[in-house]
Amino acid sequence: MKIRFFVFLVLFGISNCFACKCYEYTLDENIKVGLKKADIIFYGELIKLDTINNSYSFRIFELFKGNYKSKSITSYSESNCDFYFNEKGLCIIYGNFNKDKTLINVSACSPSQSQNFGPGFLPPPFEFDSNRKIISKNKIEMDLFNLENKNKSLQSFIYQLEKLRQYKQNQNSISENSKSDFYQKILIVSIIVNAILFLGFIITIKKKYSSLKS
């Protein structure tokens, strides 16, 4: 699935992140980078937003990465490279904790997205008349453009969820395999130790038997 990532992104609309430069990735590449760099990744819902203080609260439905027990979390934005949310709804969040691990920061360069606005979707392209003036889009054109973006966003949203669930399943499999290997190593060590002790016991008995005979 090829969706090119551009700068000038916002989670639920066009944000003020124009001074922030992001690398251009495909969706798969951006998910891969996000999985590596993010402290916490989850599928949830934006339930509260404070646009004055740039503070946002999320309800966590499904955790894909990160050691976090609470069912809710709050993010903050403070630079041009952060997401500035302006609409509640379902979302996929890639975040990084602050120092005391009570808040997260969400980068505008991450593959974070809402169900209605996917990462990398640009505003409608400008068209110019013969005098190089911008031609205004009519309502039908804008509605069509927005509908296409919503369809792409939903596809991206579903695709990301599946990729993140595969990642979580693979991590769980690795964890179970690691546990199995650990228990097998303990069993082998235990058998070796018991064999050595048993051999030592046999040698001791033989020595005692030999001393009694002499």
Side-chain angles (χ1 to χ4, degrees):
M1 181 178 180
K2 294 284 186 179
I3 298 178
R4 304 302 293 181
F5 279 77
F6 298 87
V7 295
F8 317 144
L9 309 182
V10 61
L11 190 58
F12 302 135
I14 307 303
S15 75
N16 59 349
C17 63
F18 290 93
C20 180
K21 183 176 181 180
C22 304
Y23 289 103
E24 186 177 318
Y25 291 124
T26 64
L27 179 56
D28 282 326
E29 290 169 343
N30 212 27
I31 292 172
K32 193 172 182 180
V33 173
L35 283 168
K36 183 178 180 181
K37 292 186 175 182
D39 296 327
I40 183 170
I41 303 172
F42 63 88
Y43 158 53
E45 181 182 11
L46 177 60
I47 55 176
K48 184 179 179 181
L49 62 157
D50 181 350
T51 55
I52 296 176
N53 298 309
N54 298 320
S55 176
Y56 316 95
S57 296
F58 301 90
R59 182 182 293 116
I60 299 174
F61 297 148
E62 191 172 356
L63 187 66
F64 301 111
K65 181 182 178 182
N67 185 16
Y68 194 75
K69 304 299 181 185
S70 177
K71 291 298 181 183
S72 62
I73 195 168
T74 300
S75 77
Y76 66 96
S77 298
E78 59 184 5
S79 78
N80 288 327
C81 281
D82 298 335
F83 275 117
Y84 289 82
F85 312 107
N86 58 20
E87 181 180 291
K88 296 179 182 179
L90 298 177
C91 52
I92 297 171
I93 299 296
Y94 295 69
N96 291 97
F97 288 111
N98 61 351
K99 289 183 179 180
D100 58 5
K101 296 189 176 181
T102 57
L103 302 172
I104 59 169
N105 179 257
V106 182
S107 170
C109 294
S110 76
S112 300
Q113 72 161 99
S114 76
Q115 192 174 12
N116 294 324
F117 194 90
F121 299 150
L122 295 176
F126 293 118
E127 293 183 7
F128 299 90
D129 60 17
S130 57
N131 296 319
R132 303 304 298 168
K133 290 184 178 180
I134 296 175
I135 301 173
S136 299
K137 297 282 185 182
N138 61 43
K139 187 177 184 304
I140 295 177
E141 289 177 320
M142 288 302 300
D143 287 345
L144 180 61
F145 182 87
N146 290 331
L147 181 61
E148 289 176 349
N149 259 2
K150 283 188 176 182
N151 287 335
K152 290 178 183 178
S153 297
L154 183 58
Q155 291 176 22
S156 171
F157 193 87
I158 295 171
Y159 182 78
Q160 279 218 64
L161 276 182
E162 290 305 311
K163 295 291 285 186
L164 291 171
R165 283 168 178 161
Q166 288 175 15
Y167 168 80
K168 185 178 180 180
Q169 186 176 5
N170 291 338
Q171 291 301 111
N172 289 338
S173 297
I174 291 171
S175 178
E176 289 300 320
N177 290 335
S178 298
K179 286 180 182 178
S180 178
D181 291 343
F182 177 71
Y183 292 141
Q184 286 179 5
K185 288 176 182 177
I186 289 178
L187 179 61
I188 292 170
V189 170
S190 177
I191 291 171
I192 293 172
V193 169
N194 286 330
I196 292 172
L197 291 175
F198 182 72
L199 183 60
F201 176 73
I202 294 297
I203 293 172
T204 302
I205 294 296
K206 283 187 175 182
K207 284 183 178 180
K208 287 184 178 181
Y209 182 73
S210 298
S211 63
L212 287 174
K213 283 182 68 177
S214 61

